[in-house]
Each structure stands twice: as C-alpha cells, then as structure tokens.
Amino acid sequence: MNEWPLWEIFIRSKNGLSHKHVGSLHATDEEMAMQNARDVYTRRSEGISIWVVESKHISASDPDEGESLFDPANDKVYRHPTFYNLPDELKHM
Amino acid sequence: MQDHLYNFLLYLGDNALILGHRLSEWCGHGPVLEQDMALTNIALDLVGQSRNIFQLAAKMQGEGATEDTLAYLRDATAYKNILLVEQKNGDFAKTILRQFFYDAFNYPCYQRLMQSSNKDIAAFAEKSMKEITYHLKWSSEWVIRLGDGTEESLRRINEALEDLWPYTGEMFKYADFEIAMTESGVFPDAAGIEAEWEQEVKNIFAQAGLELPEKAWMHDGGKHGRHSEHLGYILAEMQFLQRAYPGQKW
Amino acid sequence: MEKNLEEIFQAKIDREEKIEPKDWMPDAYRKTLVRQISQHAHSEIIGMLPEGNWITRAPTLRRKVALMAKVQDEAGHGLYLYSAAETLGVDRVELFEQLNSGKAKYSSIFNYPTLSWADIGSVGWLVDGAAIMNQVPLCRCSYGPYARAMVRVCKEESFHQRQGFEILLNLSKGSQAQKDMLQESVNRWWWPAMMMFGPADGDSPNTQQSMKWKIKRFTNDDLRQKFVDVAYEQAKVLNVTLPDPDIKWNEERGHYDYGVINWDEFWNVVKGNGPCNKERLAARNKAWDEGQWVREAALAHAEKRANRKSKKVA
C-alpha cells in the first residue's frame, strides 16, 4: 500500500529565533502536514510558527564529501576576530 | 431565570463532555498515528470546555457542587446534551460527519456567546472559540477528503449522512432555557444560527460532492433529558468509580 | 576497506561523536538499531491500549484529561521513534506490518491487563518508572536521530510518572477499599515491572555489542538494580508493601537485594502466552485494517487536488 508522504517539520519557538528542525511525520498534503505538525509537535506550546517541507524535496550533502566540503575552512583562521592581535587598551572593537 | 441560566450552562457543558467522551474512545484506535493524536486533541479541548462551564454551573449551584458532581452524579434524564453527540462513533466517516455537524453549529453559537451579556460566559466563549475554529477547519477538511476521496469513502460518508441527518434538527429546536437566554441577551440572536449552519454545510458539501438531504423527520428530546439508549451506557462507564465508591477522593 | 571503515566508525563512537543517517555504518549496527527503535516504538503504541482502557472510566474530569494527554503522548512517542527508524531506510508501514503480524516484539509489560483504576497509577509509577530508567541513558545513544527522539520522549515522559504516582498517593490516603485497591495493584505490577529490563546479563548475549556501539548504555541488571533502589524508597511514601519478601538492604553492596524473578513467566509472555497478547495484537490489527480505507481516501483526494491544481496552472 502507498504510504502517506513523509514531511520534515521546522518550528519557530518564538519570534526572534529561527525555525528549527524538530522531527518528521506523515501527511497527504501540505495542509494536513501543517495540522499534523501542530497536533504532534506543539502540544506543549513549543512554537508560534511552523514550516513543513516534504522530505523528498530536501537535498543533503554527502558525508563522504564532508572533508572536501568543510575541512578547507578549518585553516582560514583569519576569518575569525581572535586572529588579529590588538592591544587590550583598545575599546569598542 | 436563574434556573434557565443554570440549565443553559449544563446544556453547553453536556454537549462538550459527551462528545469529548465519545472522541476519547478513539484514543489508541485511530486510522493513522497523526490522526489519532488529532482526535485526542479535540477530545481534550471538549472535555476542557465542559470543565470550564461546569465550574460556572457549580458556582451557581453552591452546596458543594463541583465539576465532578455535575459530570459524575447526574443520571441520564438530567443530562441536556443533544442526541447527535451521544451517537456511537461508528466508522471514521461517521465520527467525522458528527464532528462536522457539531462544529458547524458550535461555531456560530460561540460567536454569539462571545457577545453574551453574561461576562463569564463571554470570556469562556472567547477562549473556546479558538479551539472551535480549529475543530471546524479540521472536520471540514476531512468531510471534503472523504467525499472527494475514493468510492468507498464516498459510500461511507453517505451512509453516515443517512444515519446522522435526522439528529441535526434538534440543534435548532430551542428549549425554554435557550429562549430565555436569547431574550435576556446571554445567548443573543440565536435565530440566525440555523441559516449560518446550513450555509456552512452546503459550502463544505459542495466541495465534498455531497448532497444536502431534504429536511425530514428530526429526532429530539436530549435538551429535555429524553435521550437515546446510548447515553445510559456512556454514563454507566464514565460514572462507574464514583458510583461504586461514593464520596471518595481520587 | 570495509575493516577500515568499521574502525573509523568505532573510533567515532568511542569519541562520543554521533552517527547521522547518511554516515557509513556497519549493516549489523543498522539492523540492531532498526530492531531496537521499532520495538521501542511498538511498545509505545501497544502501551496506549492498557491505559486507554481506563480513559472512559477515569473517576474525575481532571484525571480524565490527564490520562488522555498521557496516552496521546504515547502516540507521539511512537511517532517520534518510527520517524527515527525511518531515517535508517525502513518505512512506518513496513514496521506496522511487522507488529501486526506478530513478527516484531514489544515490551511484554503491556500484555498484562489493567483491571482497576489503581492500575493506571501503577503503570505510571512502576512501568513508566522502569521505562524512564531505560530511556534517560538513551538520550546519549550514538545514533543522532534516536538520541534526539529520546530527548523529546524523556522531556514529555516526566509528567507521566508523576501523574501515576499522584493517583496512587490519593488512593493511599483514601478509604480502606482504596488502599486495598492500591496494594492489590502493586502486587500484580511489581514483578512484571522488574522483568521490563529484560533477561539477566548472563542471558543477554547482545548486550556487549550494543554497549560497544553505545546504543545501550547500561546492562539490564544495572538498570534493574537502580530501579529497585529507587522504588523501594518510593513505596514507603505510598505505604505499600512490595510483593517480594527478599527485598532487604545490603550494606556491603550499597544496594537492595531482591528475590528471584520468574523467568519462566517472562519467556512465556514474550512468546505470546501473556494474559493479553492476543487482544493487544487484535486491537492493533483492527485499527489498522479499519483505517485502510481512510488512508487511501486521503491519499486519493490529495492526488485529485494536485491534479486539478496542475491543470489550472497548465
């Protein structure tokens, strides 16, 4: 039998924070996914805004490419403020 | 007058409690986990509403009355809910249609109660309205899904319609306590509810591909304590502990 | 190559790094996880039945809503766990079919009946209490989606045990009939709760591998001991006697000793001979079979709607 499609659910817990992935569920369409997300993932006032995305629409990076994707950033320490040596007396920087 | 208000409160509370109780029978038996949880959420809202309203009624009654004495120590003839809400769950189609008929009725009712001259009732209605709005959306969508789904779902919802239609008239056959509430502004403009209900049902039925049946013979009696055989069993189950161990704390 | 991958994998786990769905993992790890997570999910879903059994009979409206919310949470927990299992490449329908056919196992405790209102309290106190002992360490298990699901489960679970204990506490302060109801219930639930941790360590051959993979963080007997130590003290608050004459403090070990578990009963319930095995499976099958047309209708409607939409666009 055909299973209802899987959806990924993202919830904003309060204004000012970004939506965060909280889990997944099954639903036949986006309306139902939204309502199911409300019933499944906000029973304890966990959210004020919901995003639903059908799981098949998410592309994920391949962990096998992890090294080539992410390691090159590791030695670019000059992107971080602590890389620069400045005197302690200097304020507001 | 006070009697009428008290009866009106019981009527509102009984509708919510009995339907909530019926829905709670689904818990653990739903067609899919997500909808199992949705049904229970609605059941929780409804039992919650009944508690709020019984607390108001208990305060009026005094003499040690509580939400629980009202729920657990009244027999069927003292219950005032409409017959629709005590009907058996049947299959999912019947549960959905029963819910939709009730929600589509409750929505305009509570809209009016929000304007009630009684402040407690107005505050209660405002709080409940958020829940009812969601219930109506949920049950409407399911009526459409089942009507415009498969042949089987259409057949089932039509069977449910045949079963439940004769219970819809009672909602608009106002009892003396409702008429008194309308006259005193506690339940303003009740006369307009039926037309709004019909409009909503027509609208959703059109999307679901369902036909509105003719107005035919309608059952009634619930508001006056004359119920179907089902309510006795609901109460026998619900009240069992309170009856078997009278006066205990739980 | 394979060997090498496995070493890298194990080293990651040893460093307490999490494994995520697309990461390489040994087949056996995947299989063990699917089995463990789905058994856990099934237990939540079957667990709804014995407790749901009292929703319509809850003695006050406050108890009624609390119990409904609790049983509903269990549906949620099952759902979170099935979702975690789905990240490993099995879908929920497949897992449901395994449960419904009797092929998959679930916690045996739910094959015992809830016969009195006190049982709802005992399930909360003892069964949820034992479950929490098991579940809290799993929040740190090596598989990311499982660990995250467990964090959510544990957060919600904390009200469950309190809900149960409060029921029992009220009974313990009530009439003689209520006190008797309480004791009778604890008598029935104590030993099955003790069995929830599974066979003694010597008879649990997979424990070592699971602990190495960090999908199990304590042995069965360690958790059981922790449970006895905690429950014995809690029983005093309720003024109930645990039905084990051999429970006594062992100064040397710093733990309570306890009596011999009836493993014959345990294995029989696992094999399907418990008081309610058949009813539980029958109830699940009924719900699933009767839900079939609903699931199909919703899917059919969604397709029709999508078609109409795309026609409009075209």
Side-chain angles (χ1 to χ4, degrees), chain B residues 20-29 88-89 234 237, chain C residues 55-56:
Chain B
H21 182 96
R22 273 294 191 220
L23 286 180
S24 79
E25 294 171 7
W26 272 103
C27 186
H29 307 275
K88 285 189 170 181
N89 285 340
I234 292 176
E237 212 172 315
Chain C
I55 287 177
T56 53

Side-chain angles (χ1 to χ4, degrees), chain B residues 111-125:
Chain B
Q111 252 178 349
R112 284 158 174 79
L113 290 176
M114 281 165 65
Q115 314 300 325
S116 175
S117 58
N118 180 310
K119 280 202 187 88
D120 289 335
I121 292 182
F124 159 73

Side-chain angles (χ1 to χ4, degrees), chain B residues 145-158:
Chain B
R145 269 188 206 110
L146 298 183
D148 183 36
T150 59
E151 261 173 52
E152 181 174 8
S153 68
L154 178 62
R155 173 179 65 76
R156 284 175 183 268
I157 197 144
N158 268 320

Side-chain angles (χ1 to χ4, degrees), chain B:
Chain B
M1 193 60 218
Q2 284 304 87
D3 273 0
H4 284 319
L5 176 59
Y6 180 70
N7 285 334
F8 183 63
L9 289 173
L10 289 184
Y11 162 69
L12 293 176
D14 291 347
N15 277 344
L17 176 62
I18 298 302
L19 186 56
H21 182 96
R22 273 294 191 220
L23 286 180
S24 79
E25 294 171 7
W26 272 103
C27 186
H29 307 275
V32 62
L33 273 182
E34 285 84 351
Q35 296 304 324
D36 201 305
M37 297 179 74
L39 283 161
T40 306
N41 257 357
I42 297 175
L44 280 167
D45 285 345
L46 289 170
V47 177
Q49 286 171 16
S50 77
R51 293 182 69 190
N52 283 324
I53 216 78
F54 284 159
Q55 284 162 14
L56 290 180
K59 211 158 76 187
M60 268 190 82
Q61 195 192 11
E63 298 164 9
T66 65
E67 59 181 48
D68 289 325
T69 61
L70 292 176
Y72 289 89
L73 301 179
R74 277 182 303 145
D75 203 349
T77 49
Y79 265 79
K80 303 194 181 306
N81 60 276
I82 48 177
L83 303 177
L84 176 74
V85 296
E86 67 197 43
Q87 296 309 302
K88 285 189 170 181
N89 285 340
D91 63 7
F92 190 72
K94 192 166 173 187
T95 293
I96 287 294
L97 192 64
R98 182 186 63 195
Q99 189 66 35
F100 171 65
F101 282 153
Y102 179 76
D103 294 339
F105 161 69
N106 234 13
Y107 186 88
C109 275
Y110 275 67
Q111 252 178 349
R112 284 158 174 79
L113 290 176
M114 281 165 65
Q115 314 300 325
S116 175
S117 58
N118 180 310
K119 280 202 187 88
D120 289 335
I121 292 182
F124 159 73
E126 192 168 336
K127 180 169 172 282
S128 306
M129 195 59 189
K130 295 175 192 164
E131 298 168 346
I132 294 165
T133 305
Y134 186 79
H135 301 171
L136 178 60
K137 184 172 152 69
W138 181 86
S139 59
S140 304
E141 282 175 14
W142 269 108
V143 169
I144 296 169
R145 269 188 206 110
L146 298 183
D148 183 36
T150 59
E151 261 173 52
E152 181 174 8
S153 68
L154 178 62
R155 173 179 65 76
R156 284 175 183 268
I157 197 144
N158 268 320
E159 277 170 17
L161 182 55
E162 204 172 307
D163 282 353
L164 293 174
W165 185 250
Y167 293 100
T168 55
E170 187 188 9
M171 299 189 276
F172 315 106
K173 197 166 173 190
Y174 295 116
D176 48 357
F177 55 83
E178 287 172 291
I179 294 165
M181 289 305 101
T182 299
E183 284 166 358
S184 65
V186 172
F187 184 32
D189 185 29
I193 292 174
E194 183 169 11
E196 283 183 41
W197 179 84
E198 232 179 78
Q199 192 48 48
E200 178 70 17
V201 173
K202 263 187 198 153
N203 171 27
I204 297 302
F205 272 27
Q207 296 178 59
L210 296 174
E211 273 181 54
L212 205 65
E214 297 287 313
K215 284 255 185 265
W217 168 257
M218 293 287 171
H219 300 291
D220 71 354
K223 294 175 185 180
H224 307 284
R226 292 189 310 274
H227 291 274
S228 58
E229 287 179 347
H230 306 308
L231 185 67
Y233 288 97
I234 292 176
L235 296 183
E237 212 172 315
M238 182 163 83
Q239 299 178 341
F240 150 66
L241 281 165
Q242 290 279 1
R243 301 292 191 183
Y245 304 90
Q248 301 307 315
K249 286 212 163 56
W250 300 93

Side-chain angles (χ1 to χ4, degrees), chain A residues 1-6 22 24-26 28-32 39-44 46 60-64, chain C residues 22-23 72-73 76 79-80 83 86 91-93 152 156 159-160 292 294-296 298-299 301-303 305 309:
Chain A
M1 103 126 221
N2 292 333
E3 188 161 18
W4 288 3
L6 191 66
V22 294
S24 54
L25 49 77
H26 290 276
T28 53
D29 54 48
E30 63 273 14
E31 279 282 299
M32 196 205 273
D39 286 329
V40 173
Y41 289 108
T42 67
R43 300 199 304 290
R44 289 175 170 79
E46 291 96 333
S61 60
D62 182 348
D64 287 346
Chain C
K22 296 186 100 188
D23 292 345
Q72 183 195 40
D73 271 354
L79 195 152
Y80 310 151
S83 298
E86 281 178 284
D91 50 40
R92 198 200 289 172
V93 168
R152 222 182 162 83
E156 298 185 356
F159 107 75
H160 295 183
Q292 177 80 14
V294 180
R295 295 189 299 274
E296 282 170 4
L299 211 51
H301 173 70
E303 271 166 32
R305 236 180 45 153
K309 231 190 211 168

